[in-house]
Amino acid sequence: MNLKLYDYSGFRLSRLGEPRFYHLNLLWGWVGYFVLYALTERLIPYERCHVIHCALDDVIPFDERFLLAYSFWYVLVFGTLLFFLLFDVPAFRRAQTYIIITQVVAMAVYILWPSRQELRPETFPRDNFLTRAMAFVYWFDTPTGVCPSLHVGYSLGILSTWLRKPDAPKPLKAFITVAVLLICVSVSFVKQHSVVDILAALPLCALAEWMTFGRACAPLRAKLWGHAEQGV
């Protein structure tokens, strides 16, 4: 890859409207998401949430080893966005746009049709570092607002952006592909999501894919990005 650090010298919040820094406005999507997440967690009663479950959930065993893949999601999302922000601004626009679309649609679903899962084990089958770490994840991440899975949505968006990056090495693309597949599977093995949540994320990703990369949505993207599209 041809790595050339993007020039952020002279950046100030007051300059966010300038073409040079306009892409940074896409980061406001995270602010909106976290605000809505906090509100839904506090204002939607647990009892109003629909229980998500399917027969396959009962077949898949809890396996704390999948916490490694599940947790790598944070590294993948943050690391990718930071890398693109520093070295490939067009790719950053695409990845962050994809994420914003999944956030907006998923949060609308969480509000209009609240969901929860009741898959977490009452007691862990083993006592080790990973199960203790899993208990911590259960503590800070409530089992509500689960369908569709944003873990899956973000991961597929990151993967799609990397696969469309022509100068990315094939071994890196292969690594990210395997990592994303493991992440998508891991959400069921650590009992954070039902298989239904994974499947529900697929049409959401199809919509985000179309809006982020489809030619029909190019005018909308140009308005969002504040510039005429090039090379998309």
Side-chain angles (χ1 to χ4, degrees):
M1 285 186 292
N2 182 22
L3 299 182
K4 183 179 179 181
L5 189 65
Y6 191 81
D7 184 11
Y8 286 102
S9 61
F11 170 71
R12 301 288 186 277
L13 286 176
S14 60
R15 302 183 66 183
L16 280 174
E18 298 179 10
R20 179 179 162 193
F21 302 120
Y22 194 81
H23 61 280
L24 294 174
N25 285 289
L26 291 170
L27 292 173
W28 290 112
W30 288 101
V31 177
Y33 166 73
F34 286 123
V35 169
L36 286 175
Y37 174 81
L39 290 174
T40 56
E41 287 290 298
R42 287 163 175 75
L43 299 180
I44 298 178
Y46 183 81
E47 297 74 20
R48 278 193 55 212
C49 298
H50 301 81
V51 178
I52 308 299
H53 179 267
C54 70
L56 192 55
D57 296 329
D58 300 327
V59 177
I60 299 174
F62 170 83
D63 191 329
E64 69 273 16
R65 291 173 295 182
F66 279 91
L67 176 61
L68 298 174
Y70 182 85
S71 301
F72 184 69
W73 176 81
Y74 297 96
V75 178
L76 179 69
V77 174
F78 177 79
T80 292
L81 291 179
L82 179 61
F83 178 85
F84 288 160
L85 197 61
L86 295 177
F87 298 105
D88 192 341
V89 169
F92 168 78
R93 293 191 192 102
R94 296 162 193 163
Q96 183 58 24
T97 298
Y98 194 115
I99 287 174
I100 288 174
I101 294 167
T102 61
Q103 288 173 334
V104 170
V105 177
M107 291 307 302
V109 174
Y110 297 163
I111 293 171
L112 298 174
W113 196 77
S115 57
R116 74 176 193 260
Q117 56 96 343
E118 299 178 345
L119 302 171
R120 297 177 176 182
E122 294 183 4
T123 58
F124 291 118
R126 293 161 293 277
D127 180 24
N128 53 44
F129 172 77
L130 290 177
T131 54
R132 289 191 289 272
M134 197 70 242
F136 176 71
V137 173
Y138 286 172
W139 173 74
F140 79 79
D141 189 6
T142 67
T144 59
V146 293
C147 185
S149 168
L150 282 177
H151 232 75
V152 174
Y154 292 178
S155 298
L156 292 179
I158 293 295
L159 174 60
S160 183
T161 308
W162 273 110
L163 292 180
R164 282 179 164 82
K165 187 170 168 55
D167 61 334
K170 290 183 179 179
L172 177 60
K173 291 182 178 181
F175 171 78
I176 293 175
T177 299
V178 172
V180 166
L181 290 176
L182 287 174
I183 288 170
C184 292
V185 170
S186 73
V187 300
S188 284
F189 279 93
V190 298
K191 300 304 178 181
Q192 282 288 81
H193 284 281
S194 164
V195 173
V196 176
D197 304 334
I198 300 174
L199 297 177
L202 299 183
L204 169 60
C205 291
L207 173 64
E209 190 82 14
W210 176 67
M211 295 185 70
T212 304
F213 301 105
R215 291 189 178 277
C217 294
L220 291 176
R221 292 194 299 269
K223 290 181 180 180
L224 177 63
W225 296 347
H227 72 97
E229 282 194 301
Q230 295 180 354
V232 179

